[in-house]
Amino acid sequence: MKEQLRAIRGMNDILPGASERWQQFEQTVAQVLAAYGYQQIRLPIVEQTAVFERSIGDTTDIVQKEMYTFADRNGDRLTLRPEGTAGCVRAVLEHGLLNVQPQLRLWYNGPMFRHERPQKGRYRQFHQIGVETYGMAGPDIDAEILLLTARLWQALGLSGLRLEINTLGVAAEREHYRAALTAYFSAHRDALDADSLLRLERNPLRILDSKNPAMQALVSNAPRLDEFLEAESRAHFASVCATLDAAGIAYVVNPTLVRGLDYYSRTVFEWITTELGAQGTVCAGGRYDALVELMGGKPVPAIGFAMGIERLVELLAVQAGERSEASAELCVVSASEAESQAALLLAERLRDAHPGWRVVTVCGGGSLKSQMKRADRTGAAIALILGEDEVATATVSVKPMRGQGEQQRIALSELPTKLAALLTA
Ligand code: HAM
């Protein structure tokens, strides 16, 4: 036998069963985004490497060690996108979208690639739904974005998510802060781990992002960025917080929240769950007012976020108590080959009557016993059995498969109504 080929580590197949949960998730999110006036943009998965190097930042983990970068057959340096923001800015500029609509609200959905160490909730191919807005400088859009995310969790039926927010100020404020941080961490050089020593040289802000528990005391005693903020940045952040308060959305201000990408300024945020283990951030983003100019456009303010679909779909399953969704409501079984055509036609009639029902037929013949076994495997709540007698009398034997009462004979004419009642009982 030949060796069986396998998927690449950290890159998952999304199998039937799970894919339905993904579809439902995507539909709900798309509806909420439409309600806020967002338009979908579909972007390439591969971009020139420079798109990411320039935007995400040379000193970030993503650019330093996680990108899938390769030379194509022309020798061009290309990268599988590790995130969506950079490509979105590239597309907005390339197509002059801001000339047509100076205020843009866009969203995208698709796979992203990062060569991270795979573990539960962290993959090398993962999927994001991302949202990006352009041309709005005030704190009102920051607040609206946070209201939108809160509404997403509500629409999805998720609870218990914690919102953490922070402000990173503007470039000049960060420069002063950076100098203070460099002084502080240099004075504690002996206590720094190898990674942090490297970060001290390249970008001391990154040290605040350290996941090493041994570094936490040092990090929490470090100078705080908010001590370096000017009045305008303070007012911006205060306004965002005030709207959250007025809307009744709970949040925690986390001064060590710095994010793993360099393009952020002012408001940054993460939505975090404690129910998924170490990889608990399900949605994250912030303002990136300097990026459009950095990517070759005029200065245009921007803010956005992305959510990790794998993590959110997993959280939905956890919160639903791992309730596995029946893959079908109804399953049609023919007692013998003679009734198989009638069974197909009955299934068609039921789909006509109730387009929302999932009606599966047990095709392929076999004994009634083996067909009933297959019917059970479809997960259907009810099996509809057609035998010689049922066909002759224009009836169907209706057998509840999950313990909702006795088998009964129902006239074809009454079937849709009676099934509707049984399925909602
Ligand atoms: P990010 O924090 O790198 O931000 O990723 C956003 C979300 O994607 C994370 O919170 C997480 O849910 C999910 N995610 C990231 N990496 C992985 C992984 N290896 N496996 C599974 N899920 C993952 C960004 O990507 C920014 N582009 C967000 C943004 C948009 N900021 C402004 N606009």
Side-chain angles (χ1 to χ4, degrees):
M1 231 161 66
K2 288 207 171 130
E3 188 201 342
Q4 202 179 329
L5 298 170
R6 304 183 65 89
I8 294 165
R9 193 160 109 87
M11 304 203 180
N12 300 312
D13 300 307
I14 296 151
L15 302 176
S19 66
E20 280 98 53
R21 283 198 291 276
W22 279 60
Q23 274 177 11
Q24 221 169 39
F25 172 85
E26 288 166 340
Q27 273 168 19
T28 306
V29 173
Q31 272 166 11
V32 173
L33 295 178
Y36 282 79
Y38 283 84
Q39 297 176 291
Q40 193 186 26
I41 184 165
R42 296 185 185 225
L43 300 160
I45 288 169
V46 183
E47 298 270 359
Q48 285 181 57
T49 305
V51 168
F52 305 112
E53 283 174 343
R54 209 193 287 182
S55 58
I56 296 170
D58 291 344
T59 63
T60 58
D61 282 352
I62 297 180
V63 170
Q64 290 265 312
K65 41 188 183 192
E66 294 172 2
M67 294 206 302
Y68 283 88
T69 295
F70 56 96
D72 77 355
R73 286 174 191 278
N74 305 327
D76 295 332
R77 273 182 81 228
L78 306 180
T79 296
L80 295 184
R81 62 182 183 192
E83 59 104 51
T85 310
C88 191
V89 173
R90 196 266 312 137
V92 163
L93 291 176
E94 187 167 338
H95 302 286
L97 297 187
L98 288 163
N99 305 334
V100 190
Q101 262 174 290
Q103 294 196 335
L104 264 183
R105 284 177 165 87
L106 301 174
W107 70 277
Y108 50 82
N109 177 10
M112 309 290 160
F113 302 83
R114 296 183 194 174
H115 196 273
E116 296 191 83
R117 194 168 52 79
Q119 55 180 276
K120 183 170 174 284
R122 190 201 272 164
Y123 308 105
R124 289 183 173 168
Q125 175 176 324
F126 60 97
H127 297 75
Q128 289 183 341
I129 293 187
V131 154
E132 313 291 354
T133 72
Y134 300 95
M136 290 167 268
D140 45 359
I141 185 67
D142 306 31
E144 189 188 72
I145 288 237
L146 292 168
L147 298 182
L148 183 162
T149 48
R151 185 180 295 277
L152 279 171
W153 317 142
Q154 194 188 31
L156 290 162
L158 288 172
S159 57
L161 289 161
R162 183 175 80 248
L163 172 60
E164 293 194 356
I165 59 174
N166 190 24
T167 176
L168 301 182
V170 295
E173 293 160 342
R174 275 200 307 281
E175 265 322 300
H176 292 137
Y177 179 52
R178 193 186 160 113
L181 265 189
T182 306
Y184 170 80
F185 285 120
S186 300
H188 295 89
R189 188 174 270 277
D190 293 348
L192 295 181
D193 62 14
D195 218 25
S196 299
L197 278 172
L198 223 92
R199 292 176 183 193
L200 180 60
E201 302 304 319
R202 293 180 170 151
N203 184 357
L205 256 88
R206 284 266 96 73
I207 301 177
L208 302 179
D209 212 20
S210 169
K211 302 283 183 281
N212 182 354
M215 296 284 305
Q216 292 317 303
L218 198 60
V219 164
S220 52
N221 290 325
R224 287 170 52 150
L225 176 58
D226 57 6
E227 298 157 15
F228 295 80
L229 296 181
E230 312 266 337
E232 212 180 320
S233 284
R234 283 180 194 279
H236 187 104
F237 192 56
S239 169
V240 177
C241 295
T243 306
L244 291 176
D245 291 335
I249 293 174
Y251 60 91
V252 182
V253 177
N254 175 0
T256 66
L257 181 68
V258 290
R259 309 276 302 121
L261 305 98
D262 277 353
Y263 47 60
Y264 292 110
S265 53
R266 293 209 165 134
T267 317
V268 290
F269 66 90
E270 293 189 356
W271 284 93
I272 301 163
T273 175
T274 52
E275 292 176 69
L276 294 180
Q279 306 304 320
T281 305
V282 294
C283 171
R287 187 165 270 288
Y288 50 97
D289 290 341
L291 185 59
V292 178
E293 190 178 16
L294 191 69
M295 298 284 283
K298 295 191 196 114
V300 174
I303 176 168
F305 67 86
M307 52 194 137
I309 304 186
E310 282 82 358
R311 294 182 190 178
L312 281 163
V313 169
E314 175 67 15
L315 185 61
L316 279 167
V318 168
Q319 293 199 352
E322 305 288 358
R323 176 169 42 92
S324 72
E325 305 223 336
S327 56
E329 270 95 27
L330 300 168
C331 182
V332 185
V333 176
S334 52
S336 76
E337 185 119 18
E339 294 86 29
S340 65
Q341 189 189 63
L344 287 183
L345 298 182
L346 173 62
E348 288 296 311
R349 275 180 59 181
L350 292 170
R351 293 183 193 114
D352 288 342
H354 281 269
W357 284 349
R358 284 155 298 175
V359 185
V360 180
T361 52
V362 177
C363 292
S367 70
L368 183 58
K369 194 169 158 214
S370 76
Q371 291 201 60
M372 290 307 290
K373 252 195 200 155
R374 278 184 269 151
D376 190 45
R377 289 216 186 107
T378 67
I382 294 174
L384 306 171
I385 307 160
L386 278 179
E388 197 180 345
D389 196 46
E390 282 86 352
V391 172
T393 54
T395 57
V396 178
S397 290
V398 174
K399 181 176 166 59
M401 303 290 278
R402 315 268 167 243
Q404 312 103 312
E406 296 297 303
Q407 179 167 327
Q408 55 180 308
R409 203 56 102 75
I410 296 180
L412 274 179
S413 54
E414 292 175 342
L415 196 59
T417 344
K418 291 220 164 151
L419 283 177
L422 275 174
L423 284 168
T424 51

